[in-house]
């Protein structure tokens, strides 16, 4: 069965410093992986997706993620945090492709001035 | 191009009542999925509709039912409401026939249901 584990429930960074949000996955298939962001009282916005075309995936707002099969990881990074990045981030696997999405528990990102 | 829309935005019901939530998919999409997001949790898959049929279902009781209309819009119905049904209900749309692999689902803003 597919699953994702987000290793940190809360990450706090200072504005202008790098962001790293960690995610490990478990999948019987060649997985489709996503990162979604949810700002307070808002719906979910797609940041980026991995579908086996390239291991380094670039998304919106300067975020990117690297798929590492040997480590079963799909960590989300950004070189320089902005105050507007403060939100909840979800790592997601599709089960199976064209199927339902399985969400991690989320990582709350706080950005300090 | 309108994205996914949901109505109502907020809803307050009492235990035992029934509720209907509505979703209109993104233009060009034919598949609608529903998710329940309890406070402080990640969304949980309820079910997915395609061609007016329930295509997949998550681990939710039969009190949760749905419908998809010929114009691809969808309803989520919950009967005999429990306090534990209080949550944000999210609708997501996608297109089954896309050539690229991976099911990219686009989410609406959600309906916040409070059961008293």
């Amino acid at each position: 069965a597919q699953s994702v584990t987000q290793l940190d429930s809360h990450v706090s960074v200072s504005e202008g410093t790098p962001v790293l949000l960690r995610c490990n996955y478990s999948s019987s298939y060649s997985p489709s992986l996503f990162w979604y962001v949810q700002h307070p009282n808002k719906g979910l916005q797609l940041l980026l997706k991995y579908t086996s075309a390239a291991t380094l995936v670039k998304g919106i707002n300067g975020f990117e993620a690297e798929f590492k099969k040997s480590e079963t990881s799909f960590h989300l990074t950004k070189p320089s945090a902005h105050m507007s990045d403060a939100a909840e981030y979800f790592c997601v696997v599709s089960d199976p492709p064209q199927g339902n999405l399985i969400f991690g528990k989320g990582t709350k990102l706080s950005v300090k001035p | 191009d309108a994205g996914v829309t949901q109505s109502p935005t907020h809803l307050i019901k009492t235990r035992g009542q029934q509720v209907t939530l509505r979703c209109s998919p993104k233009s060009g999409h034919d598949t609608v999925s529903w998710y329940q997001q309890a406070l402080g949790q990640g969304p949980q898959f309820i079910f997915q509709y395609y061609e007016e049929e329930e295509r997949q279902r998550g681990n939710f009781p039969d009190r949760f039912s749905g419908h998809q209309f010929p114009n691809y819009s969808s309803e989520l119905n919950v009967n005999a409401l429990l306090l534990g049904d209080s949550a944000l209900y999210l609708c997501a749309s996608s297109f089954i026939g896309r050539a690229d692999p991976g099911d990219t689902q686009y989410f609406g803003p959600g309906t916040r249901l409070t059961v008293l």
Side-chain angles (χ1 to χ4, degrees):
Chain A
Q2 275 54 248
S3 67
V4 288
T5 302
Q6 293 185 244
L7 301 173
D8 306 291
S9 59
H10 190 196
V11 170
S12 182
V13 301
S14 297
E15 191 174 21
T17 64
V19 175
L20 170 63
L21 305 183
R22 299 181 295 164
C23 173
N24 287 346
Y25 71 91
S26 173
S27 176
S28 305
Y29 307 88
S30 179
S32 292
L33 293 161
F34 308 80
W35 277 96
Y36 282 85
V37 61
Q38 187 175 37
H39 288 92
N41 300 311
K42 300 284 189 181
L44 291 154
Q45 181 183 19
L46 178 68
L47 275 179
L48 50 82
K49 70 173 183 179
Y50 165 77
T51 54
S52 77
T55 57
L56 184 61
V57 183
K58 293 189 183 299
I60 62 171
N61 301 334
F63 285 95
E64 62 181 36
E66 186 172 8
F67 174 75
K68 292 187 176 180
K69 186 175 182 179
S70 60
E71 299 176 11
T72 61
S73 69
F74 190 57
H75 300 335
L76 181 70
T77 61
K78 183 173 180 177
S80 176
H82 192 272
M83 294 298 291
S84 61
D85 294 329
E88 188 92 21
Y89 291 79
F90 292 97
C91 182
V92 183
V93 65
S94 180
D95 175 31
Q98 300 284 2
N100 58 287
L101 301 181
I102 297 172
F103 285 75
K105 292 186 183 296
T107 297
K108 183 176 181 179
L109 176 65
S110 299
V111 182
K112 297 175 289 187
Chain B
D1 176 27
V4 180
T5 60
Q6 293 186 243
S7 63
T9 306
H10 294 86
L11 206 51
I12 299 175
K13 293 286 188 178
T14 56
R15 281 181 299 172
Q17 285 190 311
Q18 178 264 344
V19 69
T20 297
L21 311 181
R22 295 177 175 81
C23 171
S24 290
K26 186 177 167 67
S27 178
H29 285 182
D30 58 7
T31 302
V32 173
S33 303
W34 287 93
Y35 295 81
Q36 180 195 65
Q37 185 178 20
L39 200 61
Q41 302 293 319
Q44 299 285 318
F45 174 70
I46 303 174
F47 43 52
Q48 183 182 80
Y49 276 84
Y50 171 65
E51 292 189 337
E52 302 179 49
E53 301 263 340
E54 185 181 287
R55 183 167 174 260
Q56 286 194 34
R57 189 178 182 92
N59 189 26
F60 278 79
D62 292 345
R63 296 187 299 108
F64 289 78
S65 63
H67 188 79
Q68 186 179 34
F69 299 94
N71 67 353
Y72 308 118
S73 67
S74 176
E75 289 181 349
L76 163 65
N77 301 293
V78 186
N79 295 322
L81 284 167
L82 304 174
L83 296 179
D85 295 332
S86 294
L88 180 67
Y89 288 85
L90 294 162
C91 166
S93 75
S94 54
F95 180 50
I96 286 281
R98 287 189 72 85
D100 58 326
D103 186 16
T104 301
Q105 297 188 17
Y106 295 87
F107 286 80
T111 294
R112 174 75 61 187
L113 172 65
T114 302
V115 182
L116 302 176

